[in-house]
Amino acid sequence: MPLRVSNGWPFIVDDPQPAARTGIEVRVYDGQNPATLIDIVARSRDRTWLDHRSDIGRGEFMVHASDEVLERHPTLLQSGNIVRFRLDGIDRFAFVITRRERVRVSAGEHAGAWIKVSGPGVLALLHTALLYRIGNTLDGGITRGTDNQNAGNFLSIMFDQAQDRGCLGGVTRSFDADVDSNNHPWADIFAYHERAGTTLLTTAKRLAELAVDIGMSPQLVFNVWNSQGVDRSFQTADEAPIILREAHNINALEVAADGDIVNTLLIEGADEALWAERQNATSITTYGRREGFLSLTNEDSDTYITQAADATLDHHASDAEHLTLEILDVDDHRPYANFGLGDWVLAPNEAGQLARVRIGSITVSEDAHGNPKFTVEVGTVLAEIEERFMRWLRRVGDGTLGGTAAGISSI
Amino acid sequence: MAITVTAPEAAAWTFEANTAPRVSIEAGLGFARLEVNVGVNIADTQEGYARNEVNVGVDIADERLGTVRNEENVGVNLADDRNAYVRDEMGDVNTLTPTPHIWFVWPEHGRPGQEVTIVGHGFGATQVTHDDARALLNELEMGIISWAQVAGTADALNANRQIQRGPPHTVTPEHQEIQATVPPNAESGLIFVDHNDPDA
């Protein structure tokens, strides 16, 4: 008799633990051949990066203008090259060089001319590819997407077509039409449409605002998850819960409430018949009517418009609370090693009580001795939901108020 | 027809029915999924457990575990024995071998070598032999620490959960638990339990 097979249950294998604390290393890779290491910048300083869930983030470092590594490789810092930050032997973040500034430092041992190198995280590479017309030609239809699909189906097709046209060299993807980057089946089926001409980055971020989490690994693997991260707020057989506690591993705690409230949306669709108004009655009662204008002129599905607007308003009715925590470098509670972006951990809320929060961003800098310093931003369960839609509303809102049609990236 | 479901979080949703006679309720948040099927003849069972549930007068406190605790199956004709576990819950007409069905895995993440507990039904009381029963993560075989039948008393299980200090899972029916380890070189994916006919 053949074996009977059960249903599948999602499981996430955690990243390996770093072997030793070796600090931050800067490695520069060729932008044309992203797997090719050009050299290691051994004498850099002020190495800093912001790793943000489902967003681009940013990185920077400084190198002395007369450093021998620049003599060996005069084009080391040219735009387009990729810088990977390696923390304790494991690549944790990468950015694309887009800016070099000469900085003169006049005091102390660092006196002299320095070059400050900075740029956006490698997720920004998706900005270099567009959604093309259907059939990857100039004479196919101009609306991409269908009413019943998942994010992986849509993004994998658009990503593959972009690579067929020669874009995104060196970038791979870890998801497909069936499973996400954790090899888990896609959770959400929805209607989604974009007009040709939209960048892949804009598309991916918009999907991230509606349904999924996105990211790009330092090795340029494009990841899309149903949800990034795991729950580390519980004791398991092998590991203690991650608890960020004042007087233990939190050096500073800052609470910010984001009160950019909109409860009535006037929505512009692709044609006059698709103009719509959506409201959140509860919020209007509490805060009074606060109107916002939303341009979705690249959207011809009234289903999608209604879904997006209602979801926004449902979760945009009150202040969203965010906590910023400066983390001391304590064993078993280290960002990246013990928890990462999207993970759920325990941290004090505004009232000082421990609550489950989700890691939204990790900022890594270093002190005068070169030791890494960590700052994490977290959101509560409610704030987590609201943040997704806050990002969406702010972006389309900015685009509208600035006179730019939504769907055109501002990057 | 519309059905209102009150979720554990005290939020209420109203769901429109699909075409008669099949009525489906789905919260869409991944943890509160219900289906009510009345007078169903199901030819397609690719979604398995969720499509073959007849729930009448259900009071669900926690649907996270969900597929077998609150089933009252009346006049169900299952063409595919993948769903045979449903019949076990009926208390009668149990002619098919229960299909393995995972209710939950705890914890839901870990590194190679770490221990996870797979809780479910139809696994068989023991592993018997390697070829008869195994747990797989992403097609890699997991190391088996124990494979056991567990009596279905809620109190005992709750006490067990408290010892493990895991999530507040509550399992009332008789079930099986597998203690397994994450295989070396494993990648994230789905855990499956394969099992042969326990009576064979």
Side-chain angles (χ1 to χ4, degrees):
Chain A
M1 178 172 284
L3 288 177
R4 298 169 183 276
V5 181
S6 75
N7 56 315
W9 195 273
F11 188 84
I12 292 176
V13 177
D14 292 327
D15 292 334
Q17 292 268 24
R21 295 196 177 190
T22 52
I24 301 172
E25 193 177 354
V26 174
R27 304 163 72 88
V28 183
Y29 288 74
D30 185 352
Q32 293 296 316
N33 302 288
T36 303
L37 174 67
I38 300 176
D39 211 333
I40 298 170
V41 184
R43 287 170 297 279
S44 58
R45 57 185 281 254
D46 291 350
R47 294 161 290 204
T48 306
W49 73 88
L50 165 64
D51 198 357
H52 201 295
R53 184 169 52 82
S54 292
D55 215 333
I56 295 170
R58 187 163 188 83
E60 66 180 47
F61 69 94
M62 291 176 74
V63 59
H64 200 278
S66 56
D67 194 293
E68 63 177 8
V69 73
L70 298 179
E71 292 176 14
R72 283 202 304 272
H73 306 285
T75 60
L76 184 74
L77 304 179
Q78 75 178 12
S79 292
N81 281 350
I82 292 169
V83 176
R84 292 190 197 174
F85 285 118
R86 178 169 286 194
L87 176 63
D88 297 341
I90 300 175
D91 291 340
R92 297 300 191 181
F93 184 81
F95 73 89
V96 185
I97 296 175
T98 58
R99 188 177 175 88
R100 295 181 306 278
E101 299 171 63
R102 293 278 285 214
V103 181
R104 181 156 291 281
V105 178
S106 57
E109 61 177 311
H110 298 306
W114 289 76
I115 300 173
K116 183 177 176 183
V117 183
S118 61
V122 286
L123 185 64
L125 290 172
L126 296 180
H127 180 61
T128 61
L130 298 178
L131 269 57
Y132 244 58
R133 300 179 70 165
I134 290 175
N136 236 2
T137 65
L138 292 179
D139 52 6
I142 61 169
T143 300
R144 310 302 307 265
T146 66
D147 283 342
N148 294 297
Q149 64 190 343
N150 58 56
N153 184 25
F154 187 67
L155 285 174
S156 60
I157 291 172
M158 297 302 132
F159 181 90
D160 291 350
Q161 288 187 353
Q163 290 206 317
D164 288 346
R165 297 191 303 271
C167 299
L168 301 173
V171 182
T172 59
R173 61 176 168 83
S174 58
F175 59 93
D176 60 28
D178 299 320
V179 296
D180 73 356
S181 293
N182 282 327
N183 295 315
H184 297 165
W186 291 105
D188 294 314
I189 304 292
F190 47 82
Y192 188 75
H193 300 266
E194 285 280 6
R195 279 172 69 94
T198 309
T199 71
L200 200 53
L201 177 62
T202 301
T203 303
K205 289 180 71 173
R206 190 172 298 183
L207 286 167
E209 287 147 8
L210 291 171
V212 295
D213 286 329
I214 60 173
M216 183 86 77
S217 78
Q219 293 77 24
L220 304 191
V221 179
F222 177 31
N223 295 308
V224 182
W225 304 272
N226 285 318
S227 181
Q228 184 183 9
V230 299
D231 192 342
R232 301 187 190 279
S233 66
F234 285 109
Q235 174 85 36
T236 71
D238 294 290
E239 291 183 348
I242 299 295
I243 303 176
L244 307 178
R245 253 194 210 98
E246 288 180 273
H248 174 230
N249 50 13
I250 296 179
N251 195 31
L253 167 65
E254 182 180 307
V255 179
D258 202 339
D260 185 15
I261 294 166
V262 172
N263 50 37
T264 304
L265 276 180
L266 179 62
I267 306 149
E268 177 188 20
D271 57 51
E272 285 187 24
L274 286 171
W275 279 65
E277 180 192 83
R278 310 296 295 182
Q279 295 181 334
N280 183 302
T282 306
S283 178
I284 291 173
T285 303
T286 305
Y287 296 101
R289 181 178 170 113
R290 299 192 181 193
E291 296 178 342
F293 179 59
L294 181 59
S295 176
L296 291 174
T297 52
N298 63 337
E299 185 49 62
D300 59 6
S301 161
D302 56 352
T303 304
Y304 170 76
I305 289 173
T306 303
Q307 279 178 353
D310 281 356
T312 303
L313 291 173
D314 283 349
H315 300 290
H316 202 65
S318 59
D319 291 350
E321 206 176 81
H322 296 272
L323 288 79
T324 304
L325 309 167
E326 194 176 309
I327 305 286
L328 295 174
D329 196 356
V330 175
D331 279 345
D332 299 328
H333 289 78
R334 239 182 160 211
Y336 290 114
N338 302 106
F339 64 90
L341 289 179
D343 284 351
W344 291 91
V345 301
L346 294 173
N349 60 17
E350 193 172 19
Q353 299 160 329
L354 283 181
R356 282 178 77 236
V357 296
R358 194 172 184 209
I359 306 296
S361 71
I362 300 173
T363 301
V364 182
S365 55
E366 53 189 349
D367 63 18
H369 306 292
N371 298 316
K373 284 169 40 181
F374 303 103
T375 305
V376 299
E377 188 180 17
V378 301
T380 58
V381 177
L382 182 59
E384 157 62 20
I385 297 168
E386 290 181 341
E387 187 207 16
R388 172 163 282 175
F389 294 100
M390 185 80 82
R391 288 203 309 265
W392 176 72
L393 186 69
R394 185 174 292 131
R395 183 169 58 78
V396 296
D398 288 348
T400 303
L401 294 171
T404 306
I408 304 301
S409 172
S410 58
I411 298 170
Chain B
M1 182 178 179
I3 296 176
T4 299
V5 179
T6 301
E9 289 77 9
W13 298 292
T14 299
F15 300 91
E16 298 300 322
N18 289 345
T19 54
R22 183 172 182 276
V23 181
S24 295
I25 308 168
E26 185 163 343
L29 296 178
F31 59 85
R33 175 175 294 173
L34 298 173
E35 295 209 355
V36 176
N37 305 287
V38 180
V40 181
N41 184 12
I42 297 171
D44 177 4
T45 55
Q46 63 174 337
E47 291 294 327
Y49 66 93
R51 290 197 179 179
N52 299 288
E53 295 173 6
V54 177
N55 303 292
V56 180
V58 177
D59 180 17
I60 294 178
D62 178 4
E63 184 54 23
R64 289 188 61 182
L65 303 181
T67 59
V68 294
R69 280 192 297 159
N70 301 288
E71 294 174 3
E72 186 175 324
N73 303 287
V74 181
V76 179
N77 179 20
L78 299 173
D80 184 343
D81 67 0
R82 289 190 60 181
N83 300 286
Y85 76 95
V86 173
R87 294 195 173 195
D88 278 0
E89 303 304 313
M90 297 166 65
D92 56 12
V93 194
N94 184 11
T95 57
L96 294 173
T97 302
T99 298
H101 190 85
I102 298 174
W103 295 348
F104 65 85
V105 172
W106 179 255
E108 293 180 323
H109 65 92
R111 294 187 172 86
Q114 292 187 337
E115 182 183 323
V116 298
T117 302
I118 305 167
V119 175
H121 176 77
F123 300 165
T126 60
Q127 188 182 16
V128 189
T129 69
H130 163 84
D131 290 335
D132 273 337
R134 59 193 180 184
L136 303 166
L137 168 57
N138 231 3
E139 302 183 353
L140 291 178
E141 194 157 339
M142 304 177 75
I144 303 299
I145 300 170
S146 67
W147 188 302
Q149 180 81 12
V150 179
T153 59
D155 288 345
L157 282 195
N158 283 334
N160 190 27
R161 293 282 153 249
Q162 286 171 7
I163 291 169
Q164 293 192 15
R165 287 176 287 178
H169 288 313
T170 303
V171 184
T172 52
E174 187 176 79
H175 67 281
Q176 290 91 44
E177 284 195 10
I178 301 170
Q179 311 283 340
T181 54
V182 180
N185 304 314
E187 295 182 349
S188 300
L190 298 178
I191 288 177
F192 289 91
V193 173
D194 295 351
H195 193 260
N196 215 330
D197 185 344
D199 298 322

